[in-house]
Amino acid sequence: IGTAANLSITRVNGQTRIRIEGGAYRQYRLEVSSDLRHWTALQTSASDDGEIVVTDPAANLAARFYRAVQLP
């Protein structure tokens, strides 16, 4: 059973940062969508301490949704 990840989104100096808080030593794929139907991988990262921070360079689009998918 996987650990549920929490996402938080902040704007810092004009950049959108997405923070994934999940289980330590887990790998997550951050996905983005403009319509909640079609998802595209933005980045895949692993974390030693349960926290991953990703900057989205295209976050200025009109609608941008995020989800984290835990990988095996």
Side-chain angles (χ1 to χ4, degrees):
I1 296 178
T3 301
N6 294 313
L7 296 180
S8 60
I9 301 169
T10 57
R11 296 273 299 166
V12 177
N13 295 326
Q15 295 184 331
T16 299
R17 292 186 184 166
I18 303 94
R19 189 169 131 210
I20 304 168
E21 292 180 274
Y25 306 105
R26 306 278 178 164
Q27 186 174 24
Y28 294 93
R29 180 178 58 239
L30 181 64
E31 298 179 343
V32 296
S33 174
S34 61
D35 61 10
L36 294 174
R37 288 186 192 173
H38 303 96
W39 292 90
T40 303
L42 178 64
Q43 183 173 320
T44 300
S45 299
S47 171
D48 293 335
D49 62 0
E51 181 177 295
I52 299 167
V53 178
V54 177
T55 300
D56 183 359
N60 293 331
L61 299 174
R64 194 84 158 154
F65 304 95
Y66 300 92
R67 71 179 179 189
V69 178
Q70 183 179 327
L71 302 177

